[in-house]
Amino acid sequence: MDKERKLIIAGNWKMNKTVAEALDLVQGLKRELGAIKEVDLVICPPFTALSEVSKASLDSNIRLGAQNMSEHGGGAYTGEVSALMLKEFSVKYVILGHSERRQYQKESDALVARKAAAAHAMELKPIICVGETLQEREGGLMEKVLETQIRGSLAGLSKEQAVESIVAYEPVWAIDTGKTASTEQAQSAHAFIRSILSGMFDEPAAKRIRIQYGGSVKAANARELMSQADVDGALVGGASLEERSFADIVKNSI
Ligand code: PGA
């Protein structure tokens, strides 16, 4: 597939996989996807598996991401993990502001923006998640919600940092529900997000920022979604937990 921006497909393993299971999966992914160069491949295991998965993927085309990090550099923050700690395991990406964290941990746009700045300060690339709920979409609030989230969650980033960030559009109603946005719904939300980014930074910068789609991506819908002009990859939850389904998503996207 000839795309303006290089596709980036990331697996968000969420709170799944023991170390042994994670190692099994990464070995399988290396077998299945070892030759893929057309797509940036990222896996985001839980913190507890990062050390071993890092060693197992070091010699491969698979890059490592974390699912969250602290806004702080270190100190008395019980239970938190800093960017520096992630860097020890060669982590390159970090998912920030996932809707599950916004919902269960009450993460705000302002907090996500501080975390994004902290990630960039340590040269980690943030995958900044935004997306509307079904109620918001049906109430005609989608654009307003997305604009608020984008402006708030990327606030304060320089143009250079913005270009090194990834945005993930994940409509909340499509996450873990089996309901995927239609290709038209995905493309129009992505184009809208890019127009906001263009207003915040400038058009050339906005054209370089990769926008992933997330929400029930599977092998059967990957090709159609990835073929949309403003869809630059996928953030995959459930279907990233098994080597066959993740590998098929990647293969169907190129
Ligand atoms: P899903 O999750 O693919 O299981 O819908 C996507 C995500 O939450 O990143």
Side-chain angles (χ1 to χ4, degrees):
M1 209 178 281
D2 206 13
K3 298 283 293 188
E4 201 174 336
R5 293 160 288 271
K6 189 175 185 188
L7 287 178
I8 176 165
I9 301 184
N12 173 10
W13 295 3
K14 307 193 180 182
M15 198 171 71
N16 294 292
K17 305 290 177 192
T18 62
V19 172
E21 290 166 346
L23 285 175
D24 265 358
L25 180 51
V26 79
Q27 296 304 351
L29 292 174
K30 279 166 67 174
R31 264 194 315 272
E32 288 282 343
L33 298 171
I36 301 284
K37 296 194 178 58
E38 304 88 331
V39 180
D40 285 336
L41 298 176
V42 183
I43 52 174
C44 305
F47 290 135
T48 47
L50 282 177
S51 170
E52 291 299 316
V53 170
S54 172
K55 285 183 230 160
S57 58
L58 219 51
D59 58 345
S60 80
N61 54 342
I62 297 172
R63 296 286 161 270
L64 214 51
Q67 298 174 20
N68 176 40
M69 60 167 248
S70 172
E71 67 186 294
H72 302 291
Y77 299 102
T78 302
E80 294 290 293
V81 171
S82 73
L84 178 66
M85 292 166 180
L86 297 178
K87 296 266 295 186
E88 281 195 295
F89 301 124
S90 305
V91 168
K92 300 276 187 270
Y93 297 86
V94 58
I95 299 171
L96 296 179
H98 189 280
S99 64
E100 286 149 16
R101 295 201 63 83
R102 290 178 185 266
Q103 185 184 348
Y104 305 133
Q105 270 76 33
K106 304 283 173 271
E107 291 200 358
S108 65
D109 294 328
L111 176 64
V112 174
R114 291 197 297 276
K115 289 185 177 194
H120 280 296
M122 293 300 291
E123 288 174 349
L124 292 177
K125 292 183 200 298
I127 298 176
I128 300 169
C129 303
V130 298
E132 81 288 356
T133 63
L134 189 58
Q135 207 184 6
E136 288 162 346
R137 175 175 277 266
E138 288 178 345
L141 295 172
M142 182 188 91
E143 294 198 342
K144 189 167 178 286
V145 168
L146 292 180
E147 176 163 4
T148 303
Q149 289 182 344
I150 290 286
R151 287 192 180 278
S153 304
L154 281 80
L157 294 189
S158 68
K159 203 186 296 181
E160 292 69 31
Q161 289 172 330
V163 166
E164 293 296 320
S165 303
I166 290 113
V167 172
Y169 169 61
E170 299 205 303
V172 178
W173 47 272
I175 295 177
D176 202 29
T177 56
K179 286 188 200 138
T180 321
S182 68
T183 48
E184 296 76 22
Q185 286 172 326
Q187 168 55 28
S188 82
H190 282 227
F192 175 73
I193 289 169
R194 203 176 300 286
S195 74
I196 301 300
L197 293 169
S198 180
M200 286 177 76
F201 303 100
D202 62 19
E203 202 187 334
K207 280 195 163 162
R208 290 176 59 198
I209 300 174
R210 293 182 289 181
I211 307 175
Q212 295 176 314
Y213 170 79
S216 300
V217 175
K218 36 190 182 282
N221 58 28
R223 184 181 301 276
E224 232 192 311
L225 284 162
M226 297 310 126
S227 69
Q228 301 301 302
D230 287 289
V231 178
D232 309 313
L235 183 54
V236 186
S240 73
L241 295 175
E242 203 253 311
E243 83 193 45
R244 186 75 268 143
S245 49
F246 191 67
D248 284 347
I249 288 171
V250 173
K251 289 174 186 170
N252 287 352
S253 299
I254 51 183

